[in-house]
Amino acid sequence: MKIEEESTDLINLKNFLDYNGKIEEKDVTFQKLMFIYKMAIKELDTKIEIFKEEFKTFYDYDLVDHVNTRIKSPKSIIQKMKKKECKLTYREMIENINDIAGIRVVCPLQKDIYSIKNLIQSIPGIETLKEKDYITQPKESGYSAYHIILGVPVMLSQQLIYVKVEVQIRTMAMDFWSSLEHKMKYKPNEEPSKKKAKEWVNCAKTINKLDEKMMLLNE
Ligand code: 0O2
């Protein structure tokens, strides 16, 4: 297989950082970059799937309920870059947008979140770049989850590269709240009111109490 010089260069993530091109979603460069993020998701998703099946088979325990993966849409990447006041270049995108590749792990109980987090962080070769515990410290909106930004090694034919992946770990109850709240937040033609925001925070607190009760019942 003949590999063009330019494309071999750009397969290396470091070379993307030296490449001064502007983001253009229909551009081949953008597609190549998204391919690398997709492969990082695949790597990690397979490993989480193995933990999930292992716990079911060996310990008769459903540690993971389900896993969702997604690549952030170009529109949403650009929106986030503008919000963070980044220049719209590939370099700024790779450096500043941590959740282009995203994996959401949903589990039954709050204590499972920490088991999953520890299992993921113990995978050889995976680096933890950042952690955010929105369980002990929920966001102002009421949002609760555990976030980790990882450096995931992806072995391509020519080199090993590290790719950022954001993992969000939540209970089923937290997932229920955040999916609905996310939909409401982005509802067109509807201004979010202070009163509604307060109600969402109250719902999050109820959900949190429910999670704690469920955990006690399980003990
Ligand atoms: P989408 O559609 O899920 O992609 P960082 O650059 O990592 O320091 P970042 O990414 O701004 O900071 O911050 P954060 O808050 O740690 O993670 C952002 C993601 O968490 C969001 O992605 C949501 O998925 C989720 N999230 C954070 N706050 C809320 C919230 O109040 N409600 C809901 N429903 N989800 C939240 P995006 O890019 O916003 O969206």
Side-chain angles (χ1 to χ4, degrees):
M1 184 175 62
K2 186 175 173 284
I3 305 172
E4 288 166 36
E5 216 166 83
E6 198 231 358
S7 58
T8 336
D9 265 6
L10 290 178
I11 282 175
N12 190 329
L13 213 54
K14 281 205 181 69
N15 292 351
F16 267 108
L17 291 174
D18 296 333
Y19 174 67
N20 261 332
K22 283 224 160 172
I23 295 177
E24 180 57 69
E25 64 177 280
K26 294 208 172 74
D27 197 83
V28 183
T29 312
F30 188 80
Q31 306 302 334
K32 284 179 189 162
L33 203 42
M34 289 305 121
F35 160 79
I36 296 173
Y37 281 106
K38 269 184 211 151
M39 293 308 105
I41 287 186
K42 218 173 186 177
E43 282 278 351
L44 196 55
D45 190 24
T46 306
K47 293 191 164 83
I48 298 170
E49 179 66 24
I50 293 173
F51 290 144
K52 179 176 186 262
E53 292 307 317
E54 181 201 342
F55 270 76
K56 217 184 235 173
T57 312
F58 288 85
Y59 312 114
D60 195 22
Y61 186 72
D62 284 310
L63 180 68
V64 174
D65 181 74
H66 66 273
V67 178
N68 289 329
T69 65
R70 69 106 181 84
I71 288 283
K72 211 172 180 65
S73 69
K75 193 176 153 213
S76 181
I77 293 174
I78 288 170
Q79 252 175 16
K80 200 159 193 172
M81 289 181 77
K82 285 184 178 160
K83 202 170 144 200
K84 288 188 162 194
E85 297 180 353
C86 303
K87 277 191 257 159
L88 297 182
T89 63
Y90 290 110
R91 166 187 273 278
E92 297 253 328
M93 180 177 101
I94 295 165
E95 284 179 345
N96 298 297
I97 307 301
N98 295 327
D99 64 343
I100 294 176
I103 298 193
R104 187 168 292 152
V105 187
V106 181
C107 54
L109 304 173
Q110 243 186 52
K111 69 177 172 64
D112 300 329
I113 293 180
Y114 295 97
S115 307
I116 294 167
K117 158 194 136 52
N118 290 334
L119 283 171
I120 293 175
Q121 287 179 317
S122 68
I123 300 171
I126 288 200
E127 283 175 26
T128 299
L129 306 174
K130 202 170 172 183
E131 280 182 70
K132 292 185 198 169
D133 186 349
Y134 296 130
I135 295 160
T136 49
Q137 279 186 308
K139 291 189 89 166
E140 220 180 288
S141 60
Y143 177 79
S144 249
Y146 201 98
H147 288 196
I148 4 178
I149 310 293
L150 300 170
V152 176
V154 176
M155 189 66 220
L156 295 175
S157 61
Q158 315 283 325
Q159 65 261 305
L160 180 73
I161 52 177
Y162 278 83
V163 186
K164 276 188 205 168
V165 177
E166 182 191 73
V167 182
Q168 298 182 346
I169 316 171
R170 309 169 173 170
T171 62
M172 284 145 95
M174 290 171 190
D175 193 51
F176 167 63
W177 180 94
S178 56
S179 302
L180 283 182
E181 195 260 2
H182 193 273
K183 270 188 202 133
M184 292 293 178
K185 219 181 224 171
Y186 298 104
K187 232 180 176 181
N189 314 320
E190 200 171 303
E191 278 296 305
S193 72
K194 270 195 181 157
K195 192 170 165 246
K196 269 199 181 161
K198 215 173 153 194
E199 284 306 324
W200 277 107
V201 175
N202 288 337
C203 287
K205 284 182 184 159
T206 311
I207 291 266
N208 202 284
K209 278 198 193 119
L210 188 70
D211 261 340
E212 278 166 14
K213 257 192 188 165
M214 292 292 202
M215 208 152 67
L216 286 177
L217 278 175
N218 237 272
E219 279 164 11

